Amino acid sequence: EKGYSGDDPYVSERERMVELQIERRGVKDPRVLEAMRRVPRHMFVGEQLKNQAYEDHPLPIGEGQTISQPYIVALMTEALNLKGSEKVLEIGTGSGYQTAVLAELCREVFTIERIASLAYRARKTLESLGYKNIKYKIGDGTLGWPEEAPFDGIIVTAAAPKVPQPLIDQLAMGARLVIPVGDRISQELLLVERVPEGIRKTSLGGVRFVDLVGKWGWREE
Ligand code: SAM
């Protein structure tokens, strides 16, 4: 049994979140919905924000970063089309919430965060919840994780000016990459698939993310 099971005062709030924010907006994959029902989102935010953890918006997690809106987490996860046996790379561990959702749905998650303090806290949270199928790295995720490539899915939870080439190169045949691409105000959520003919790109709609900072992202200010 993967993941969390314990006393949880937020079960009904989480049910409501899944029904009203996620199912009602069209996310259908039953495995994704089940994962969103299981992962205790309130454990990934600070004490003073726990009572807002299931609201329909992002929340601050320190260092100028955010935990993404629940619907966006579900939408991006569904786009990866995970069946359970995959090896997935995540860029931008942040709070670790999206990492937990992925860990519920695939074989192994490799997650990279550039801000060490966030990476340590996320790891502590995820380990305390019992997740064992996650590998952690601190560094520039725009370079991917070449030693572990290829991946069956890659998810980038920060906004890039363009799709980083190393991430395209680290996709297995048939694998999917989900990434927000655009300027620093707003972006398009792109689904990039490696197909025999090359690369296929589909837009999943408009989003707003914090910057992806790195060699293949934005420059550090
Ligand atoms: N998925 C996270 C969650 O559920 O809490 C939200 C992530 S937050 C919107 C984006 C994260 O990407 C931030 O923590 C930021 O520090 C990180 N980040 C930005 N550029 C990065 C890079 N090049 N490599 C790794 N992490 C990066």
Side-chain angles (χ1 to χ4, degrees):
E1 180 85 338
K2 284 190 267 183
Y4 176 76
S5 58
D7 284 343
D8 185 345
Y10 291 95
V11 175
S12 63
E13 278 197 50
R14 202 153 56 241
E15 281 291 333
R16 270 221 315 277
M17 171 192 86
V18 172
E19 191 188 322
L20 302 179
Q21 301 172 31
I22 297 174
E23 277 192 287
R24 195 166 285 188
R25 290 193 180 116
V27 173
K28 289 190 184 69
D29 184 333
R31 297 182 71 242
V32 173
L33 297 172
E34 183 52 31
M36 300 294 297
R37 277 193 197 96
R38 274 176 65 86
V39 178
R41 183 172 162 93
H42 61 279
M43 304 292 280
F44 294 85
V45 300
E47 203 56 50
Q48 345 66 257
L49 291 176
K50 284 202 191 311
N51 60 353
Q52 293 178 56
Y54 297 96
E55 292 178 8
D56 195 14
H57 50 77
L59 289 168
I61 56 171
E63 307 286 347
Q65 306 303 321
T66 54
I67 176 173
S68 307
Q69 182 189 8
Y71 168 65
I72 295 296
V73 173
L75 179 70
M76 292 176 80
T77 306
E78 183 175 60
L80 289 176
N81 199 24
L82 300 173
K83 303 296 181 204
S85 61
E86 297 86 355
K87 191 171 170 179
V88 173
L89 175 65
E90 177 192 38
I91 315 300
T93 316
S95 69
Y97 174 66
Q98 169 80 73
T99 322
V101 172
L102 294 170
E104 295 273 346
L105 293 169
C106 70
R107 180 164 53 85
E108 205 170 16
V109 184
F110 295 81
T111 187
I112 310 178
E113 170 57 53
R114 64 180 283 273
I115 300 177
S117 59
L118 295 180
Y120 291 134
R121 197 169 59 205
R123 181 173 187 154
K124 213 173 129 194
T125 307
L126 290 161
E127 286 180 350
S128 76
L129 292 172
Y131 291 101
K132 296 191 168 44
N133 56 338
I134 303 171
K135 295 280 186 317
Y136 305 83
K137 183 166 171 164
I138 296 168
D140 178 6
T142 68
L143 303 171
W145 197 322
E147 302 81 7
E148 291 291 346
F151 296 96
D152 306 305
I154 302 181
I155 182 169
V156 182
T157 66
K162 58 184 187 318
V163 183
Q165 187 61 41
L167 301 185
I168 295 178
D169 296 341
Q170 290 174 34
L171 284 174
M173 184 52 64
R176 295 169 159 219
L177 160 64
V178 183
I179 179 171
V181 175
D183 58 32
R184 297 179 109 155
I185 310 293
S186 71
Q187 306 92 30
E188 197 174 9
L189 191 57
L190 286 185
L191 170 62
V192 180
E193 289 171 274
R194 176 174 288 268
V195 293
E197 305 75 48
I199 287 298
R200 181 161 68 209
K201 288 186 187 167
T202 320
S203 174
L204 303 176
V207 288
R208 180 167 191 174
F209 273 85
V210 297
D211 291 354
L212 182 72
V213 177
K215 177 149 186 249
W216 295 81
W218 298 100
R219 293 265 166 73
E220 194 160 3
E221 309 218 333

mmCIF file with all atom_site columns, all heavy atoms in Angstrom, residues 17-38:
data_model
loop_
_atom_site.group_PDB
_atom_site.id
_atom_site.type_symbol
_atom_site.label_atom_id
_atom_site.label_alt_id
_atom_site.label_comp_id
_atom_site.label_asym_id
_atom_site.label_entity_id
_atom_site.label_seq_id
_atom_site.pdbx_PDB_ins_code
_atom_site.Cartn_x
_atom_site.Cartn_y
_atom_site.Cartn_z
_atom_site.occupancy
_atom_site.B_iso_or_equiv
_atom_site.pdbx_formal_charge
_atom_site.auth_seq_id
_atom_site.auth_comp_id
_atom_site.auth_asym_id
_atom_site.auth_atom_id
_atom_site.pdbx_PDB_model_num
ATOM 1   N N   . MET A 1 17 ? -13.601 19.240 -2.734  1.00 0.00 ? 17 MET A N   1
ATOM 2   C CA  . MET A 1 17 ? -12.631 19.785 -3.686  1.00 0.00 ? 17 MET A CA  1
ATOM 3   C C   . MET A 1 17 ? -12.641 18.967 -4.988  1.00 0.00 ? 17 MET A C   1
ATOM 4   O O   . MET A 1 17 ? -12.715 19.519 -6.088  1.00 0.00 ? 17 MET A O   1
ATOM 5   C CB  . MET A 1 17 ? -11.220 19.752 -3.067  1.00 0.00 ? 17 MET A CB  1
ATOM 6   C CG  . MET A 1 17 ? -10.096 20.093 -4.036  1.00 0.00 ? 17 MET A CG  1
ATOM 7   S SD  . MET A 1 17 ? -8.443  19.711 -3.361  1.00 0.00 ? 17 MET A SD  1
ATOM 8   C CE  . MET A 1 17 ? -8.268  17.971 -3.792  1.00 0.00 ? 17 MET A CE  1
ATOM 9   N N   . VAL A 1 18 ? -12.605 17.639 -4.842  1.00 0.00 ? 18 VAL A N   1
ATOM 10  C CA  . VAL A 1 18 ? -12.544 16.781 -6.026  1.00 0.00 ? 18 VAL A CA  1
ATOM 11  C C   . VAL A 1 18 ? -13.835 16.911 -6.837  1.00 0.00 ? 18 VAL A C   1
ATOM 12  O O   . VAL A 1 18 ? -13.794 17.054 -8.068  1.00 0.00 ? 18 VAL A O   1
ATOM 13  C CB  . VAL A 1 18 ? -12.283 15.305 -5.630  1.00 0.00 ? 18 VAL A CB  1
ATOM 14  C CG1 . VAL A 1 18 ? -12.423 14.387 -6.845  1.00 0.00 ? 18 VAL A CG1 1
ATOM 15  C CG2 . VAL A 1 18 ? -10.893 15.170 -5.020  1.00 0.00 ? 18 VAL A CG2 1
ATOM 16  N N   . GLU A 1 19 ? -14.943 16.919 -6.167  1.00 0.00 ? 19 GLU A N   1
ATOM 17  C CA  . GLU A 1 19 ? -16.213 16.972 -6.888  1.00 0.00 ? 19 GLU A CA  1
ATOM 18  C C   . GLU A 1 19 ? -16.420 18.328 -7.578  1.00 0.00 ? 19 GLU A C   1
ATOM 19  O O   . GLU A 1 19 ? -16.683 18.396 -8.785  1.00 0.00 ? 19 GLU A O   1
ATOM 20  C CB  . GLU A 1 19 ? -17.362 16.701 -5.906  1.00 0.00 ? 19 GLU A CB  1
ATOM 21  C CG  . GLU A 1 19 ? -18.678 16.479 -6.592  1.00 0.00 ? 19 GLU A CG  1
ATOM 22  C CD  . GLU A 1 19 ? -19.816 16.411 -5.575  1.00 0.00 ? 19 GLU A CD  1
ATOM 23  O OE1 . GLU A 1 19 ? -19.595 15.843 -4.483  1.00 0.00 ? 19 GLU A OE1 1
ATOM 24  O OE2 . GLU A 1 19 ? -20.898 16.944 -5.872  1.00 0.00 ? 19 GLU A OE2 1
ATOM 25  N N   . LEU A 1 20 ? -16.280 19.404 -6.811  1.00 0.00 ? 20 LEU A N   1
ATOM 26  C CA  . LEU A 1 20 ? -16.659 20.724 -7.336  1.00 0.00 ? 20 LEU A CA  1
ATOM 27  C C   . LEU A 1 20 ? -15.584 21.374 -8.202  1.00 0.00 ? 20 LEU A C   1
ATOM 28  O O   . LEU A 1 20 ? -15.892 22.051 -9.175  1.00 0.00 ? 20 LEU A O   1
ATOM 29  C CB  . LEU A 1 20 ? -17.021 21.674 -6.184  1.00 0.00 ? 20 LEU A CB  1
ATOM 30  C CG  . LEU A 1 20 ? -18.148 21.187 -5.275  1.00 0.00 ? 20 LEU A CG  1
ATOM 31  C CD1 . LEU A 1 20 ? -18.411 22.188 -4.167  1.00 0.00 ? 20 LEU A CD1 1
ATOM 32  C CD2 . LEU A 1 20 ? -19.417 20.926 -6.089  1.00 0.00 ? 20 LEU A CD2 1
ATOM 33  N N   . GLN A 1 21 ? -14.304 21.181 -7.858  1.00 0.00 ? 21 GLN A N   1
ATOM 34  C CA  . GLN A 1 21 ? -13.244 21.885 -8.587  1.00 0.00 ? 21 GLN A CA  1
ATOM 35  C C   . GLN A 1 21 ? -12.661 21.047 -9.719  1.00 0.00 ? 21 GLN A C   1
ATOM 36  O O   . GLN A 1 21 ? -12.116 21.593 -10.676 1.00 0.00 ? 21 GLN A O   1
ATOM 37  C CB  . GLN A 1 21 ? -12.105 22.266 -7.636  1.00 0.00 ? 21 GLN A CB  1
ATOM 38  C CG  . GLN A 1 21 ? -12.513 23.146 -6.474  1.00 0.00 ? 21 GLN A CG  1
ATOM 39  C CD  . GLN A 1 21 ? -11.372 23.313 -5.474  1.00 0.00 ? 21 GLN A CD  1
ATOM 40  O OE1 . GLN A 1 21 ? -10.213 23.293 -5.840  1.00 0.00 ? 21 GLN A OE1 1
ATOM 41  N NE2 . GLN A 1 21 ? -11.711 23.467 -4.203  1.00 0.00 ? 21 GLN A NE2 1
ATOM 42  N N   . ILE A 1 22 ? -12.746 19.720 -9.572  1.00 0.00 ? 22 ILE A N   1
ATOM 43  C CA  . ILE A 1 22 ? -11.969 18.868 -10.478 1.00 0.00 ? 22 ILE A CA  1
ATOM 44  C C   . ILE A 1 22 ? -12.872 18.052 -11.411 1.00 0.00 ? 22 ILE A C   1
ATOM 45  O O   . ILE A 1 22 ? -12.782 18.168 -12.624 1.00 0.00 ? 22 ILE A O   1
ATOM 46  C CB  . ILE A 1 22 ? -11.015 17.981 -9.646  1.00 0.00 ? 22 ILE A CB  1
ATOM 47  C CG1 . ILE A 1 22 ? -10.030 18.907 -8.909  1.00 0.00 ? 22 ILE A CG1 1
ATOM 48  C CG2 . ILE A 1 22 ? -10.275 16.989 -10.521 1.00 0.00 ? 22 ILE A CG2 1
ATOM 49  C CD1 . ILE A 1 22 ? -9.107  18.225 -7.943  1.00 0.00 ? 22 ILE A CD1 1
ATOM 50  N N   . GLU A 1 23 ? -13.786 17.241 -10.816 1.00 0.00 ? 23 GLU A N   1
ATOM 51  C CA  . GLU A 1 23 ? -14.697 16.466 -11.668 1.00 0.00 ? 23 GLU A CA  1
ATOM 52  C C   . GLU A 1 23 ? -15.591 17.383 -12.490 1.00 0.00 ? 23 GLU A C   1
ATOM 53  O O   . GLU A 1 23 ? -15.758 17.193 -13.692 1.00 0.00 ? 23 GLU A O   1
ATOM 54  C CB  . GLU A 1 23 ? -15.583 15.562 -10.803 1.00 0.00 ? 23 GLU A CB  1
ATOM 55  C CG  . GLU A 1 23 ? -14.922 14.261 -10.410 1.00 0.00 ? 23 GLU A CG  1
ATOM 56  C CD  . GLU A 1 23 ? -15.941 13.290 -9.824  1.00 0.00 ? 23 GLU A CD  1
ATOM 57  O OE1 . GLU A 1 23 ? -16.377 13.532 -8.676  1.00 0.00 ? 23 GLU A OE1 1
ATOM 58  O OE2 . GLU A 1 23 ? -16.293 12.315 -10.519 1.00 0.00 ? 23 GLU A OE2 1
ATOM 59  N N   . ARG A 1 24 ? -16.147 18.383 -11.837 1.00 0.00 ? 24 ARG A N   1
ATOM 60  C CA  . ARG A 1 24 ? -17.092 19.269 -12.520 1.00 0.00 ? 24 ARG A CA  1
ATOM 61  C C   . ARG A 1 24 ? -16.444 20.027 -13.671 1.00 0.00 ? 24 ARG A C   1
ATOM 62  O O   . ARG A 1 24 ? -17.115 20.436 -14.613 1.00 0.00 ? 24 ARG A O   1
ATOM 63  C CB  . ARG A 1 24 ? -17.692 20.244 -11.499 1.00 0.00 ? 24 ARG A CB  1
ATOM 64  C CG  . ARG A 1 24 ? -18.919 20.944 -12.002 1.00 0.00 ? 24 ARG A CG  1
ATOM 65  C CD  . ARG A 1 24 ? -19.678 21.634 -10.910 1.00 0.00 ? 24 ARG A CD  1
ATOM 66  N NE  . ARG A 1 24 ? -20.421 20.697 -10.068 1.00 0.00 ? 24 ARG A NE  1
ATOM 67  C CZ  . ARG A 1 24 ? -21.296 21.069 -9.138  1.00 0.00 ? 24 ARG A CZ  1
ATOM 68  N NH1 . ARG A 1 24 ? -21.516 22.363 -8.916  1.00 0.00 ? 24 ARG A NH1 1
ATOM 69  N NH2 . ARG A 1 24 ? -21.927 20.176 -8.410  1.00 0.00 ? 24 ARG A NH2 1
ATOM 70  N N   . ARG A 1 25 ? -15.118 20.205 -13.611 1.00 0.00 ? 25 ARG A N   1
ATOM 71  C CA  . ARG A 1 25 ? -14.427 20.900 -14.709 1.00 0.00 ? 25 ARG A CA  1
ATOM 72  C C   . ARG A 1 25 ? -13.937 19.935 -15.785 1.00 0.00 ? 25 ARG A C   1
ATOM 73  O O   . ARG A 1 25 ? -13.240 20.338 -16.709 1.00 0.00 ? 25 ARG A O   1
ATOM 74  C CB  . ARG A 1 25 ? -13.254 21.717 -14.174 1.00 0.00 ? 25 ARG A CB  1
ATOM 75  C CG  . ARG A 1 25 ? -13.680 22.936 -13.368 1.00 0.00 ? 25 ARG A CG  1
ATOM 76  C CD  . ARG A 1 25 ? -12.493 23.862 -13.133 1.00 0.00 ? 25 ARG A CD  1
ATOM 77  N NE  . ARG A 1 25 ? -12.862 25.035 -12.368 1.00 0.00 ? 25 ARG A NE  1
ATOM 78  C CZ  . ARG A 1 25 ? -12.378 25.322 -11.148 1.00 0.00 ? 25 ARG A CZ  1
ATOM 79  N NH1 . ARG A 1 25 ? -11.502 24.520 -10.579 1.00 0.00 ? 25 ARG A NH1 1
ATOM 80  N NH2 . ARG A 1 25 ? -12.766 26.402 -10.530 1.00 0.00 ? 25 ARG A NH2 1
ATOM 81  N N   . GLY A 1 26 ? -14.253 18.656 -15.623 1.00 0.00 ? 26 GLY A N   1
ATOM 82  C CA  . GLY A 1 26 ? -13.997 17.750 -16.742 1.00 0.00 ? 26 GLY A CA  1
ATOM 83  C C   . GLY A 1 26 ? -12.863 16.750 -16.584 1.00 0.00 ? 26 GLY A C   1
ATOM 84  O O   . GLY A 1 26 ? -12.593 15.997 -17.512 1.00 0.00 ? 26 GLY A O   1
ATOM 85  N N   . VAL A 1 27 ? -12.192 16.719 -15.434 1.00 0.00 ? 27 VAL A N   1
ATOM 86  C CA  . VAL A 1 27 ? -11.176 15.681 -15.241 1.00 0.00 ? 27 VAL A CA  1
ATOM 87  C C   . VAL A 1 27 ? -11.910 14.360 -14.973 1.00 0.00 ? 27 VAL A C   1
ATOM 88  O O   . VAL A 1 27 ? -12.773 14.286 -14.095 1.00 0.00 ? 27 VAL A O   1
ATOM 89  C CB  . VAL A 1 27 ? -10.231 16.028 -14.071 1.00 0.00 ? 27 VAL A CB  1
ATOM 90  C CG1 . VAL A 1 27 ? -9.291  14.871 -13.759 1.00 0.00 ? 27 VAL A CG1 1
ATOM 91  C CG2 . VAL A 1 27 ? -9.436  17.291 -14.404 1.00 0.00 ? 27 VAL A CG2 1
ATOM 92  N N   . LYS A 1 28 ? -11.564 13.323 -15.754 1.00 0.00 ? 28 LYS A N   1
ATOM 93  C CA  . LYS A 1 28 ? -12.358 12.078 -15.706 1.00 0.00 ? 28 LYS A CA  1
ATOM 94  C C   . LYS A 1 28 ? -11.588 10.846 -15.245 1.00 0.00 ? 28 LYS A C   1
ATOM 95  O O   . LYS A 1 28 ? -12.199 9.893  -14.760 1.00 0.00 ? 28 LYS A O   1
ATOM 96  C CB  . LYS A 1 28 ? -12.906 11.786 -17.111 1.00 0.00 ? 28 LYS A CB  1
ATOM 97  C CG  . LYS A 1 28 ? -13.995 12.738 -17.552 1.00 0.00 ? 28 LYS A CG  1
ATOM 98  C CD  . LYS A 1 28 ? -14.644 12.233 -18.838 1.00 0.00 ? 28 LYS A CD  1
ATOM 99  C CE  . LYS A 1 28 ? -15.676 13.222 -19.352 1.00 0.00 ? 28 LYS A CE  1
ATOM 100 N NZ  . LYS A 1 28 ? -15.041 14.474 -19.839 1.00 0.00 ? 28 LYS A NZ  1
ATOM 101 N N   . ASP A 1 29 ? -10.276 10.829 -15.447 1.00 0.00 ? 29 ASP A N   1
ATOM 102 C CA  . ASP A 1 29 ? -9.500  9.626  -15.143 1.00 0.00 ? 29 ASP A CA  1
ATOM 103 C C   . ASP A 1 29 ? -9.753  9.204  -13.689 1.00 0.00 ? 29 ASP A C   1
ATOM 104 O O   . ASP A 1 29 ? -9.382  9.905  -12.745 1.00 0.00 ? 29 ASP A O   1
ATOM 105 C CB  . ASP A 1 29 ? -8.010  9.921  -15.372 1.00 0.00 ? 29 ASP A CB  1
ATOM 106 C CG  . ASP A 1 29 ? -7.127  8.686  -15.178 1.00 0.00 ? 29 ASP A CG  1
ATOM 107 O OD1 . ASP A 1 29 ? -7.526  7.772  -14.411 1.00 0.00 ? 29 ASP A OD1 1
ATOM 108 O OD2 . ASP A 1 29 ? -6.037  8.639  -15.769 1.00 0.00 ? 29 ASP A OD2 1
ATOM 109 N N   . PRO A 1 30 ? -10.379 8.029  -13.490 1.00 0.00 ? 30 PRO A N   1
ATOM 110 C CA  . PRO A 1 30 ? -10.745 7.617  -12.131 1.00 0.00 ? 30 PRO A CA  1
ATOM 111 C C   . PRO A 1 30 ? -9.536  7.454  -11.213 1.00 0.00 ? 30 PRO A C   1
ATOM 112 O O   . PRO A 1 30 ? -9.644  7.693  -10.001 1.00 0.00 ? 30 PRO A O   1
ATOM 113 C CB  . PRO A 1 30 ? -11.464 6.278  -12.319 1.00 0.00 ? 30 PRO A CB  1
ATOM 114 C CG  . PRO A 1 30 ? -11.261 5.868  -13.725 1.00 0.00 ? 30 PRO A CG  1
ATOM 115 C CD  . PRO A 1 30 ? -10.793 7.050  -14.509 1.00 0.00 ? 30 PRO A CD  1
ATOM 116 N N   . ARG A 1 31 ? -8.388  7.074  -11.752 1.00 0.00 ? 31 ARG A N   1
ATOM 117 C CA  . ARG A 1 31 ? -7.183  6.922  -10.919 1.00 0.00 ? 31 ARG A CA  1
ATOM 118 C C   . ARG A 1 31 ? -6.696  8.284  -10.429 1.00 0.00 ? 31 ARG A C   1
ATOM 119 O O   . ARG A 1 31 ? -6.237  8.415  -9.309  1.00 0.00 ? 31 ARG A O   1
ATOM 120 C CB  . ARG A 1 31 ? -6.081  6.205  -11.700 1.00 0.00 ? 31 ARG A CB  1
ATOM 121 C CG  . ARG A 1 31 ? -6.469  4.771  -12.100 1.00 0.00 ? 31 ARG A CG  1
ATOM 122 C CD  . ARG A 1 31 ? -5.336  4.069  -12.822 1.00 0.00 ? 31 ARG A CD  1
ATOM 123 N NE  . ARG A 1 31 ? -4.232  3.738  -11.927 1.00 0.00 ? 31 ARG A NE  1
ATOM 124 C CZ  . ARG A 1 31 ? -3.002  4.202  -12.037 1.00 0.00 ? 31 ARG A CZ  1
ATOM 125 N NH1 . ARG A 1 31 ? -2.679  5.029  -13.009 1.00 0.00 ? 31 ARG A NH1 1
ATOM 126 N NH2 . ARG A 1 31 ? -2.072  3.837  -11.189 1.00 0.00 ? 31 ARG A NH2 1
ATOM 127 N N   . VAL A 1 32 ? -6.793  9.292  -11.293 1.00 0.00 ? 32 VAL A N   1
ATOM 128 C CA  . VAL A 1 32 ? -6.382  10.647 -10.889 1.00 0.00 ? 32 VAL A CA  1
ATOM 129 C C   . VAL A 1 32 ? -7.335  11.167 -9.805  1.00 0.00 ? 32 VAL A C   1
ATOM 130 O O   . VAL A 1 32 ? -6.895  11.721 -8.785  1.00 0.00 ? 32 VAL A O   1
ATOM 131 C CB  . VAL A 1 32 ? -6.364  11.607 -12.104 1.00 0.00 ? 32 VAL A CB  1
ATOM 132 C CG1 . VAL A 1 32 ? -6.117  13.048 -11.657 1.00 0.00 ? 32 VAL A CG1 1
ATOM 133 C CG2 . VAL A 1 32 ? -5.314  11.164 -13.114 1.00 0.00 ? 32 VAL A CG2 1
ATOM 134 N N   . LEU A 1 33 ? -8.627  10.965 -10.001 1.00 0.00 ? 33 LEU A N   1
ATOM 135 C CA  . LEU A 1 33 ? -9.609  11.438 -9.014  1.00 0.00 ? 33 LEU A CA  1
ATOM 136 C C   . LEU A 1 33 ? -9.374  10.754 -7.668  1.00 0.00 ? 33 LEU A C   1
ATOM 137 O O   . LEU A 1 33 ? -9.435  11.393 -6.607  1.00 0.00 ? 33 LEU A O   1
ATOM 138 C CB  . LEU A 1 33 ? -11.037 11.187 -9.521  1.00 0.00 ? 33 LEU A CB  1
ATOM 139 C CG  . LEU A 1 33 ? -11.414 11.949 -10.805 1.00 0.00 ? 33 LEU A CG  1
ATOM 140 C CD1 . LEU A 1 33 ? -12.769 11.486 -11.324 1.00 0.00 ? 33 LEU A CD1 1
ATOM 141 C CD2 . LEU A 1 33 ? -11.401 13.461 -10.588 1.00 0.00 ? 33 LEU A CD2 1
ATOM 142 N N   . GLU A 1 34 ? -9.078  9.458  -7.703  1.00 0.00 ? 34 GLU A N   1
ATOM 143 C CA  . GLU A 1 34 ? -8.832  8.716  -6.475  1.00 0.00 ? 34 GLU A CA  1
ATOM 144 C C   . GLU A 1 34 ? -7.565  9.233  -5.766  1.00 0.00 ? 34 GLU A C   1
ATOM 145 O O   . GLU A 1 34 ? -7.549  9.394  -4.538  1.00 0.00 ? 34 GLU A O   1
ATOM 146 C CB  . GLU A 1 34 ? -8.701  7.213  -6.814  1.00 0.00 ? 34 GLU A CB  1
ATOM 147 C CG  . GLU A 1 34 ? -8.509  6.295  -5.638  1.00 0.00 ? 34 GLU A CG  1
ATOM 148 C CD  . GLU A 1 34 ? -9.542  6.488  -4.534  1.00 0.00 ? 34 GLU A CD  1
ATOM 149 O OE1 . GLU A 1 34 ? -10.701 6.853  -4.849  1.00 0.00 ? 34 GLU A OE1 1
ATOM 150 O OE2 . GLU A 1 34 ? -9.190  6.298  -3.343  1.00 0.00 ? 34 GLU A OE2 1
ATOM 151 N N   . ALA A 1 35 ? -6.530  9.516  -6.532  1.00 0.00 ? 35 ALA A N   1
ATOM 152 C CA  . ALA A 1 35 ? -5.293  10.045 -5.946  1.00 0.00 ? 35 ALA A CA  1
ATOM 153 C C   . ALA A 1 35 ? -5.551  11.408 -5.301  1.00 0.00 ? 35 ALA A C   1
ATOM 154 O O   . ALA A 1 35 ? -5.049  11.696 -4.202  1.00 0.00 ? 35 ALA A O   1
ATOM 155 C CB  . ALA A 1 35 ? -4.208  10.153 -7.014  1.00 0.00 ? 35 ALA A CB  1
ATOM 156 N N   . MET A 1 36 ? -6.346  12.232 -5.945  1.00 0.00 ? 36 MET A N   1
ATOM 157 C CA  . MET A 1 36 ? -6.651  13.561 -5.399  1.00 0.00 ? 36 MET A CA  1
ATOM 158 C C   . MET A 1 36 ? -7.501  13.435 -4.124  1.00 0.00 ? 36 MET A C   1
ATOM 159 O O   . MET A 1 36 ? -7.453  14.285 -3.258  1.00 0.00 ? 36 MET A O   1
ATOM 160 C CB  . MET A 1 36 ? -7.393  14.420 -6.430  1.00 0.00 ? 36 MET A CB  1
ATOM 161 C CG  . MET A 1 36 ? -6.643  14.680 -7.725  1.00 0.00 ? 36 MET A CG  1
ATOM 162 S SD  . MET A 1 36 ? -5.136  15.698 -7.623  1.00 0.00 ? 36 MET A SD  1
ATOM 163 C CE  . MET A 1 36 ? -5.749  17.272 -7.070  1.00 0.00 ? 36 MET A CE  1
ATOM 164 N N   . ARG A 1 37 ? -8.291  12.345 -4.045  1.00 0.00 ? 37 ARG A N   1
ATOM 165 C CA  . ARG A 1 37 ? -9.062  12.086 -2.818  1.00 0.00 ? 37 ARG A CA  1
ATOM 166 C C   . ARG A 1 37 ? -8.181  11.593 -1.681  1.00 0.00 ? 37 ARG A C   1
ATOM 167 O O   . ARG A 1 37 ? -8.500  11.772 -0.516  1.00 0.00 ? 37 ARG A O   1
ATOM 168 C CB  . ARG A 1 37 ? -10.133 11.019 -3.078  1.00 0.00 ? 37 ARG A CB  1
ATOM 169 C CG  . ARG A 1 37 ? -11.374 11.572 -3.687  1.00 0.00 ? 37 ARG A CG  1
ATOM 170 C CD  . ARG A 1 37 ? -12.531 10.573 -3.643  1.00 0.00 ? 37 ARG A CD  1
ATOM 171 N NE  . ARG A 1 37 ? -13.512 11.050 -4.589  1.00 0.00 ? 37 ARG A NE  1
ATOM 172 C CZ  . ARG A 1 37 ? -13.606 10.625 -5.848  1.00 0.00 ? 37 ARG A CZ  1
ATOM 173 N NH1 . ARG A 1 37 ? -12.846 9.646  -6.288  1.00 0.00 ? 37 ARG A NH1 1
ATOM 174 N NH2 . ARG A 1 37 ? -14.482 11.162 -6.652  1.00 0.00 ? 37 ARG A NH2 1
ATOM 175 N N   . ARG A 1 38 ? -7.083  10.955 -2.032  1.00 0.00 ? 38 ARG A N   1
ATOM 176 C CA  . ARG A 1 38 ? -6.222  10.349 -1.011  1.00 0.00 ? 38 ARG A CA  1
ATOM 177 C C   . ARG A 1 38 ? -5.176  11.287 -0.439  1.00 0.00 ? 38 ARG A C   1
ATOM 178 O O   . ARG A 1 38 ? -4.903  11.255 0.766   1.00 0.00 ? 38 ARG A O   1
ATOM 179 C CB  . ARG A 1 38 ? -5.478  9.143  -1.624  1.00 0.00 ? 38 ARG A CB  1
ATOM 180 C CG  . ARG A 1 38 ? -6.249  7.845  -1.571  1.00 0.00 ? 38 ARG A CG  1
ATOM 181 C CD  . ARG A 1 38 ? -5.473  6.743  -2.290  1.00 0.00 ? 38 ARG A CD  1
ATOM 182 N NE  . ARG A 1 38 ? -4.208  6.422  -1.631  1.00 0.00 ? 38 ARG A NE  1
ATOM 183 C CZ  . ARG A 1 38 ? -4.088  5.558  -0.638  1.00 0.00 ? 38 ARG A CZ  1
ATOM 184 N NH1 . ARG A 1 38 ? -5.146  4.933  -0.177  1.00 0.00 ? 38 ARG A NH1 1
ATOM 185 N NH2 . ARG A 1 38 ? -2.914  5.314  -0.112  1.00 0.00 ? 38 ARG A NH2 1
#
